[in-house]
Amino acid sequence: MEEILRFEHVSYAYEEEREALLDVCVKVCAGERVAVLGSNGAGKSTFFLLANGVLRPGAGRILFRGAPVGSGAKQLNVLRRGVGLVFQDPEVQLLGGSVEEEVSFGPMNLRLPVGEVRARVDAAIRSFALEEYRGRAPQYLSGGEKKRVTLADALAMEPQMLLLDEPAASLDPANTRLLEQNLQMLSEQGLGLMVATHDVDFAWRWATRVLVFRGGRLAGDGEPREIFENVSLLRTCGLEQPVLYRVGRVLGLAAPPHTVEELEQEWKP
C-alpha cells in the first residue's frame, strides 16, 4: 500500500519538561482503517494535531507522501490539504451561513476555479446525503447532521487521509450506524482513515489496525486481534476487550466474531 504519513521519532511538549508525545514512530498507508485508542491525556489528540500540521514537532520529523514536512507555509498547506481533520465537536468547525457555503469554504481558499469548487461541493454534499440541507444554516441541524457536514467539509478538500476525533460522540444509535456507513464508503474510495475513540467495540468491528497510546508513547500497534488478545497491554492502558471478542472466547469459537451477524453464522447452539 502507498504510504501517506510517517512519524519518525516525533516528540512534542506543551510545557517544558512535560512531554505530550514522546518518540513516536509510525507510518499509515492509503486505504487503512486505523482506530487510535488510549485514555484521556494519552496523546491521541496531540498525535492528530501534529499529523494535520496544527502543531509542529519539538523533535523528530513528519513525512507526507515520502517528503519531510518543514515549517514553511507552503509545506504545511500541502500537509493540511492532504490530511483532513474532523474535530469531536462540530461547532468548532462550522462557520458558513449555509451548508453549501460551509462545504465550499475550503476549496475556495485553495483559489480553485469556480467550476471545480462547485463540482467538489456537489460531490461532497451528495456523498453524505445533504442535498436537502444545502440552504440550511448548519447551526440549526441535528448533531448527526452537523457531523455529516464536517465530513463533507473535509471530503471537499480531496484529502488522501482523514483524521476523526471521537466522531460518534453524542450520536444516537441510528446516526452512529450512518456514520459507520459513511466511513466504510470513504475507505472504499481509498482514503486512509484514523479514528480516535474510547469505544473498543467500534475499534474491533471496524478497524484493520489499532494504535494504542499511553502517557504520550505509542504502546501498541497491530491488527485488532493482536492488540485485544494482549491482556497485559490492555490492563496497562486502561482498556477492555470488546464484548464480541469475549463472547467468542467464552463460546470457544476459533475466530472471535467482529459483528453480531458473524456470531450468528459461526455459533450453532
Side-chain angles (χ1 to χ4, degrees), residues 153-179:
D153 273 352
L155 189 62
M157 297 293 286
E158 296 189 352
Q160 284 86 59
M161 178 173 292
L162 273 182
L163 316 174
L164 300 99
D165 189 4
E166 293 287 352
S170 75
L171 294 185
D172 59 31
N175 275 301
T176 298
R177 286 192 296 273
L178 182 58
L179 171 67

Side-chain angles (χ1 to χ4, degrees), residues 147-216:
K147 291 278 187 179
R148 283 153 56 197
V149 173
T150 58
L151 285 168
D153 273 352
L155 189 62
M157 297 293 286
E158 296 189 352
Q160 284 86 59
M161 178 173 292
L162 273 182
L163 316 174
L164 300 99
D165 189 4
E166 293 287 352
S170 75
L171 294 185
D172 59 31
N175 275 301
T176 298
R177 286 192 296 273
L178 182 58
L179 171 67
E180 291 190 29
Q181 291 170 7
N182 288 331
L183 293 180
Q184 182 63 31
M185 174 196 68
L186 294 174
S187 177
E188 290 171 355
Q189 292 178 6
L191 269 72
L193 298 173
M194 287 201 287
V195 176
T197 181
H198 291 288
D199 188 346
V200 295
D201 296 305
F202 164 77
W204 173 246
R205 67 176 174 266
W206 175 80
T208 57
R209 179 180 173 194
V210 176
L211 305 181
V212 182
F213 282 88
R214 178 177 180 269

Side-chain angles (χ1 to χ4, degrees), residues 204 225 228-229 241-250 256-257:
W204 173 246
R225 185 167 178 174
F228 289 119
E229 69 184 9
Q241 291 178 325
V243 170
L244 285 176
Y245 181 95
R246 287 182 282 159
V247 168
R249 285 288 180 250
V250 169

Side-chain angles (χ1 to χ4, degrees), residues 64-223:
F64 176 65
R65 299 178 67 89
V69 179
S71 57
K74 185 175 181 179
Q75 289 177 304
L76 288 175
N77 284 336
V78 169
L79 176 65
R80 290 165 185 164
R81 288 169 60 180
V83 181
L85 176 59
V86 178
F87 291 96
Q88 176 178 344
D89 182 1
E91 301 291 350
V92 174
Q93 279 183 259
L94 299 177
L95 302 171
S98 69
V99 168
E100 185 169 13
E101 290 178 5
E102 174 65 34
V103 178
S104 67
F105 184 77
M108 288 179 63
N109 275 351
L110 298 178
R111 293 181 171 83
L112 299 173
V114 173
E116 184 172 349
V117 171
R118 185 177 298 114
R120 288 193 183 197
V121 171
D122 289 346
I125 285 177
R126 185 169 56 251
S127 292
F128 294 102
L130 291 165
E131 292 94 334
E132 64 180 291
Y133 306 108
R134 292 183 78 112
R136 297 266 299 275
Q139 61 265 34
Y140 297 122
L141 301 180
S142 70
E145 291 160 354
K146 289 176 181 177
K147 291 278 187 179
R148 283 153 56 197
V149 173
T150 58
L151 285 168
D153 273 352
L155 189 62
M157 297 293 286
E158 296 189 352
Q160 284 86 59
M161 178 173 292
L162 273 182
L163 316 174
L164 300 99
D165 189 4
E166 293 287 352
S170 75
L171 294 185
D172 59 31
N175 275 301
T176 298
R177 286 192 296 273
L178 182 58
L179 171 67
E180 291 190 29
Q181 291 170 7
N182 288 331
L183 293 180
Q184 182 63 31
M185 174 196 68
L186 294 174
S187 177
E188 290 171 355
Q189 292 178 6
L191 269 72
L193 298 173
M194 287 201 287
V195 176
T197 181
H198 291 288
D199 188 346
V200 295
D201 296 305
F202 164 77
W204 173 246
R205 67 176 174 266
W206 175 80
T208 57
R209 179 180 173 194
V210 176
L211 305 181
V212 182
F213 282 88
R214 178 177 180 269
R217 293 183 180 272
L218 184 59
D221 178 1
E223 295 181 354

Side-chain angles (χ1 to χ4, degrees), residues 43-84:
K44 303 187 302 297
S45 294
T46 302
F47 174 60
F48 273 14
L49 292 173
L50 286 160
N52 177 252
V54 175
L55 301 178
R56 300 298 302 135
R61 64 176 188 166
I62 296 172
L63 292 83
F64 176 65
R65 299 178 67 89
V69 179
S71 57
K74 185 175 181 179
Q75 289 177 304
L76 288 175
N77 284 336
V78 169
L79 176 65
R80 290 165 185 164
R81 288 169 60 180
V83 181

